[in-house]
Amino acid sequence: MSSETRQRSQSLLSDELRASLKPAPAPGTMSSTPVAAEAKTLPPKPAHPAFVHFPIAFLILSIGLDVLYALSSSLPAVITNNLPSNPELTRASYTLLSLGLLSMVPAVTTGIAQAKAAIDKQGMYEKDGKTIKMKFKGVIAHALANDLVLAVLTYVWYCRRSAAKESLAGKLGVGSMGGAAAYAPGAWMVGVEAVIGGLLVFAAGIGGSLTYNYGFGMAIAGVNKKAA
């Protein structure tokens, strides 16, 4: 190859390179790049995982205090002497029950929204159109269990509040009178709460399986990691 041809090819190559080069973005304009624009358009993360821990903690602690109150008469004095008084126990458990029920409302509503988004995107049924996918069976069981917990404990809360308002201590606005606590749960309430507490833990276990096995609440916009 002659020197003239070599110089001409180098000149053409240089022209092509110059044409393909783009100037660097000016300072302060990096946000307009495709990557930054894509980051701005990412959908928000699911809100359900941010709410579920509060009702679980409040309700389990409330039920635990009620069970402790019910067993206090049979506990050794060395334990009861270091526990809060019965009026303090029952008022604390009632307050925690109220907080648990209130915090359960956003947990349930955001859970319904996330489940609906997942069903709309992936479909509830297998390819045969009849069999419900295993993960959505878990979603249904999780929702029904928590709805039952909410309904039953709301009724227990209503009964306790009504009994407190009708009691002399409740009418006078004091914590107790004559050793009777205004917000003391009845024996049937403690029994129901113990059963419902177990159901609450069971529902929470299903929720954990949905999170760690199927990615509910972890993927962006509630899209599950597994498609099956």
Side-chain angles (χ1 to χ4, degrees):
M1 181 182 294
S2 64
S3 60
E4 181 180 355
T5 304
R6 186 180 300 108
Q7 291 176 357
R8 183 180 178 184
S9 62
Q10 290 176 351
S11 176
L12 290 174
L13 182 61
S14 299
D15 291 340
E16 292 175 358
L17 286 174
R18 291 193 192 97
S20 64
L21 293 176
K22 296 181 180 179
T29 61
M30 293 298 292
S31 60
S32 61
T33 60
V35 175
E38 181 181 356
K40 286 184 177 180
T41 59
L42 289 177
K45 294 182 179 179
H48 183 61
F51 291 103
V52 296
H53 305 89
F54 296 102
I56 294 174
F58 288 142
L59 295 177
I60 289 179
L61 185 54
S62 173
I63 294 171
L65 291 179
D66 283 341
V67 172
L68 185 62
Y69 165 77
L71 298 176
S72 60
S73 60
S74 59
L75 293 176
V78 66
I79 296 178
T80 56
N81 291 338
N82 292 282
L83 291 176
S85 64
N86 285 342
E88 291 173 333
L89 277 178
T90 56
R91 185 175 288 276
S93 69
Y94 175 80
T95 302
L96 289 168
L97 177 61
S98 303
L99 292 174
L101 293 175
L102 287 174
S103 60
M104 203 168 185
V105 174
V108 169
T109 53
T110 55
I112 293 173
Q114 183 179 342
K116 182 179 182 302
I119 292 173
D120 291 343
K121 185 173 183 65
Q122 301 178 16
M124 180 181 291
Y125 297 97
E126 300 285 0
K127 294 181 179 180
D128 60 7
K130 298 179 180 179
T131 306
I132 299 177
K133 294 179 179 179
M134 183 59 65
K135 61 183 173 184
F136 289 119
K137 290 181 180 179
V139 169
I140 294 171
H142 178 69
L144 290 177
N146 280 305
D147 290 345
L148 182 59
V149 169
L150 178 60
V152 173
L153 290 184
T154 299
Y155 178 70
V156 171
W157 174 89
Y158 173 78
C159 291
R160 290 180 68 172
R161 180 172 177 80
S162 299
K165 291 176 65 176
E166 293 300 323
S167 67
L168 182 58
K171 291 179 179 179
L172 295 177
V174 296
S176 64
M177 180 167 288
Y183 290 94
W188 70 268
M189 296 181 188
V190 178
V192 169
E193 286 179 345
V195 174
I196 290 298
L199 182 60
L200 177 63
V201 173
F202 173 73
I206 297 177
S209 298
L210 291 172
T211 299
Y212 294 108
N213 294 340
Y214 296 102
F216 272 85
M218 298 178 67
I220 295 175
V223 179
N224 299 330
K225 291 182 178 179
K226 291 187 178 181

